[in-house]
Amino acid sequence: MRMSQLFLRTLRDAPTDADVDSLRLLSRAGYVRKVAAGFYSWLPLGSRVLRNVERIVREEMDAAGAQEVLLPIAQPLELWQQSGREQLYGPLMFRISDRKDAGYCLAPTAEELITATVRGEYSSYRDLPVNLYQIQWKYRDELRPRFGLLRSREFLMKDAYSFDTDAANLRKSYQLMYDAYHKVFERCALNFRPVRAQSGDIGGDVNHEFMAVANIGEDDFVWCKSCDYAANVEAAVRRSPEPVAPGSQPMSKIATPDKPGINAVAEHLGCAASELLKCLAFETEAGAIGLALVPGDREVNEYALKVALGGVAYEFLDDAAFARFPRLPKGYIGAHNQHIEIAVADPSVLARTSWVTGANEVDHHVTDAVVGRDFQPTVVAPIVVVASGDVCPECDGELSVDRGIEVGHVFQIGTKYSESLGATFTDENGEAHPMVMGCYGIGISRVVAAIVEEHHDEAGICWPAEISPYAVHLIALTGKGATSEEVRQAAVAIYDGLNSAGVSVVYDDRDVSPGVKFADADLLGVPVQLVVGAKGLARGVVERKLRKTGSRDELAIDAVLGQYIGEGAKSRG
RNA sequence: CGGGGUGUGGCGCAGUGGUAGCGCACCGGCUUUGGGAGCCGGGGGCCGGGGGUUCAAGUCCCCCCACCCCGACCA
């Protein structure tokens, strides 16, 4: 492609509402343009990049035995009512209606439709397993779209769905996808980790998120520096500290006027927040009042607390609820409160001889509260949010908490959708069973943004070879001198040669100054830049610069084609 | 949903009640040509929309819309 023909305008200043590196650079370099909150146009360069990620995903899905389909974006709401997810998604779904006032949604995902599709075709154990996938635009009317392409309202997603006869076979299908995801993200040159995760709204049990490590990510995940333990921050656990012998000092009450917070009290007493016992009051759905007890410098993992309660739903008290329980003075609650029915303590609560905690009386705290003497946990279970520096539960190594971008997610769903939508098969004995499903997503457009987040510098994007819109960025420094035409002809010869060798090349033939060409080349981020200039030409060489490292060398002009023949297959751009 | 902020040319921004500006980009001319060149000359605006106040509104008031940021229970 000649740059004089390419539909492209680069920007020196990024639009002000581009708030992350990926969107700033993709906007400046003319890959995408914002149309509305959470909606983006993909211009020629962006479209090529998107296709490249698609291509990688398609190749790996096909290699893993999945078959591509294409389902409609607009889906009858009725289908979503059958699965019960119409309510669940609520305003997150874009809704439309036709002229007859029938309700449709723009699909936020496709479990329902794919299940209905398989139900309509397959009904025997002989048909299974089967794995279908599509690469299709998805729509979610996010509460707050942000981070540009990382959380948009329209996004391109690969979603695959496996159907098996039983859980053991599901695990095989799951493993195939899990392995395929590794290949996909390796080819995308992402620094990623598969982490154990909670299942969220889709339902089901075993699942992993594939997190691309980034500063800007929306999710924290925990990983061990010594082994391969990794988990979503909600699912992560640590090795709890060992219990210690209780203290013997008697508990005593002290005045802490107008000090309702951990930090305020710690500062007032001149002690560390970790010496205070944090007591969070909650009410279960059955109406029982409980406290979650953790060290003052720790936060409660709400998911872990629910597990500790045996799966019982609960809510932390809000101001209105506190008003109903005058015996629970917000900010001054102590673990020795007589009015609570449940006390869930993290094991670390047993690892300190005594605690400073609320006195259950406004403007007062107590010191030397001793577990087992002054207060009794009814449940001891790990409920703190894991933090960097905690001990790995599997190998005693050190855990680290980092930000990540969720680029993929694999689930073992089970029979939730096959049951509600009636996707059953008949087994060898003629008995009907619901199919056992897995579902597997990759955010294609999000992957593009994640790659830019990881592969860029001050000057612009540095694409991995397989993702780059072109394999080679050819720059002709023609100028207006005597050698101008000579340089132009040499560049065109290389351009034509590379093209006919199947190497995708973008050729900067514009009549602009060298500085503009260099700056744009760095901004666009094609991995290899070839510069044809009068100086080199006189010596029969062209200069080659690698975008990522900035390293330069010279190639004999006759050797250029030889160098890049074969590159076409690696990066067809 | 709550709070805050911003809407002026494609992008970035200035603008004090009195003729709508600057930089980049764009068009034409001349010069320049190895890291976002210089000079000269141009084109491009329903100042987010609607109502009001005023002799006069980009500017003041009211309503609406869009976009951005923060928050949405950790005592």
Side-chain angles (χ1 to χ4, degrees):
Chain A
M1 170 60 74
R2 286 171 186 266
M3 253 174 112
S4 59
Q5 305 297 310
L6 183 61
F7 183 71
L8 170 71
R9 182 112 298 145
T10 57
L11 303 175
R12 204 175 293 212
D13 300 305
T16 30
D17 55 11
D19 51 348
V20 292
D21 290 336
S22 54
L23 183 59
R24 263 195 292 272
L25 290 172
L26 288 166
S27 300
R28 282 191 56 212
Y31 286 76
V32 301
R33 289 287 179 256
K34 180 171 156 176
V35 173
F39 291 93
Y40 296 87
S41 294
W42 294 77
L43 304 184
L45 290 176
S47 178
R48 290 177 71 92
V49 167
L50 208 51
R51 297 280 168 260
N52 283 340
V53 176
E54 266 187 51
R55 193 194 71 242
I56 291 170
V57 169
R58 196 170 269 127
E59 286 174 6
E60 297 301 338
M61 286 296 111
D62 290 345
Q67 300 172 61
E68 185 166 7
V69 297
L70 196 56
L71 307 177
I73 290 169
Q75 300 181 353
L77 273 181
E78 200 181 350
L79 206 49
W80 290 77
Q81 285 154 358
Q82 280 177 38
S83 72
R85 285 211 296 181
E86 197 243 339
Q87 279 280 337
L88 187 67
Y89 270 94
L92 195 64
M93 285 206 291
F94 280 102
R95 288 147 200 265
I96 55 177
S97 50
D98 65 12
R99 66 180 74 209
K100 292 178 293 187
D101 222 25
Y104 294 83
C105 67
L106 303 182
T109 171
E111 283 81 9
E112 281 80 357
L113 184 51
I114 199 77
T115 305
T117 302
V118 171
R119 172 186 67 192
E121 311 293 328
Y122 275 9
S123 54
S124 162
Y125 74 96
R126 296 172 196 268
D127 296 325
L128 304 178
V130 66
N131 186 331
L132 303 177
Y133 76 96
Q134 66 168 345
I135 295 175
Q136 180 64 288
W137 294 95
K138 302 292 188 304
Y139 296 81
R140 292 182 192 169
D141 193 1
E142 296 286 350
L143 211 56
R144 182 140 90 87
R146 63 179 135 180
F147 303 139
L149 298 162
L150 293 172
R151 177 164 298 280
S152 51
R153 295 198 288 176
E154 178 186 68
F155 53 97
L156 192 59
M157 177 175 169
K158 185 282 304 180
D159 45 325
Y161 307 88
S162 66
F163 297 82
D164 281 284
T165 53
D166 58 31
N169 284 318
L170 166 59
R171 281 194 290 278
K172 290 182 198 163
S173 297
Y174 184 85
Q175 191 63 41
L176 279 172
M177 288 293 104
Y178 185 90
D179 294 342
Y181 274 40
H182 272 83
K183 293 176 185 155
V184 167
F185 297 126
E186 275 162 18
R187 289 177 68 182
C188 289
L190 286 171
N191 176 17
F192 71 97
R193 287 189 162 251
V195 309
R196 298 175 209 180
Q198 300 317 317
S199 58
D201 286 343
I202 296 189
D205 304 319
V206 180
N207 73 95
H208 287 83
E209 289 172 350
F210 284 77
M211 305 295 296
V213 180
N215 310 322
I216 188 63
E218 285 199 272
D219 306 289
D220 286 334
F221 71 98
V222 175
W223 58 281
C224 175
K225 292 179 176 176
S226 307
C227 71
D228 61 4
Y229 177 79
N232 169 310
V233 77
E234 289 199 319
V237 291
R238 62 168 179 165
R239 177 147 303 170
S240 298
E242 295 299 316
V244 297
S248 53
Q249 285 284 98
M251 188 165 81
S252 56
K253 187 160 85 178
I254 52 172
T256 50
D258 198 28
K259 297 279 184 289
I262 292 281
N263 291 332
V265 175
E267 197 179 321
H268 180 69
L269 299 179
C271 66
S274 58
E275 297 173 49
L276 273 75
L277 187 64
K278 183 188 278 190
C279 308
L280 297 184
F282 60 85
E283 182 176 16
T284 69
E285 59 186 347
I289 294 299
L291 292 183
L293 307 177
V294 298
D297 59 341
R298 287 295 183 152
E299 297 196 343
V300 172
N301 179 336
E302 297 188 30
Y303 178 81
L305 179 55
K306 186 174 176 186
V307 171
L309 292 170
V312 173
Y314 67 92
E315 284 191 351
F316 287 115
L317 301 193
D318 57 16
D319 285 341
F322 272 113
R324 284 164 32 224
F325 299 105
R327 309 288 178 93
L328 295 172
K330 180 177 177 178
Y332 300 94
I333 299 173
H336 53 294
N337 195 293
Q338 303 302 308
H339 303 280
I340 56 144
E341 295 150 79
I342 305 166
V344 182
D346 187 78
S348 56
V349 173
L350 309 184
R352 173 165 277 282
T353 52
S354 69
W355 295 92
V356 176
T357 187
N360 295 310
E361 184 181 324
V362 171
D363 291 344
H364 290 83
H365 281 75
V366 295
T367 60
D368 295 301
V370 172
V371 62
R373 182 191 73 186
D374 303 313
F375 63 97
Q376 295 291 343
T378 56
V379 181
V380 176
I383 55 169
V384 299
V385 173
V386 173
S388 284
D390 282 349
V391 178
C392 173
E394 294 193 349
C395 78
D396 289 335
E398 185 184 341
L399 295 176
S400 179
V401 180
D402 286 284
R403 300 296 269 169
I405 299 164
E406 183 189 343
V407 287
H409 205 153
V410 290
F411 290 90
Q412 296 182 25
I413 293 186
T415 57
K416 173 176 163 149
Y417 297 98
S418 51
E419 276 177 25
S420 60
L421 294 161
T424 58
F425 69 95
T426 314
D427 69 12
E428 298 90 324
N429 305 315
E431 286 176 32
H433 303 279
M435 297 179 188
V436 182
M437 293 174 57
C439 92
Y440 318 94
I442 292 178
I444 307 264
S445 47
R446 179 181 281 184
V447 163
V448 171
I451 291 170
V452 177
E453 289 292 338
E454 185 174 338
H455 298 278
H456 74 269
D457 57 25
E458 307 73 35
I461 301 169
C462 310
W463 291 114
E466 270 207 277
I467 308 297
S468 178
Y470 293 93
V472 172
H473 190 127
L474 178 65
I475 295 173
L477 299 178
T478 44
K480 282 250 169 59
T483 56
S484 160
E485 182 57 19
E486 206 180 323
V487 170
R488 195 189 64 79
Q489 283 177 8
V492 169
I494 293 171
Y495 176 58
D496 290 343
L498 288 174
N499 272 326
S500 47
V503 180
S504 66
V505 45
V506 58
Y507 166 37
D508 195 342
D509 60 335
R510 296 174 300 171
D511 183 22
V512 295
S513 70
V516 171
K517 293 185 180 183
F518 291 135
D520 275 347
D522 288 347
L523 181 58
L524 298 200
V526 172
V528 176
Q529 298 172 12
L530 291 180
V531 182
V532 185
K535 291 180 199 163
L537 199 57
R539 296 177 12 246
V541 299
V542 299
E543 186 179 321
R544 174 173 60 180
K545 174 181 157 183
L546 301 183
R547 175 64 183 87
K548 185 107 195 163
T549 61
S551 68
R552 297 161 200 265
D553 61 359
E554 291 182 340
L555 296 177
I557 201 153
D558 306 326
V560 170
L561 295 190
Q563 272 285 331
Y564 287 96
I565 287 172
E567 288 288 312
K570 245 167 66 187
S571 171
R572 56 194 85 167

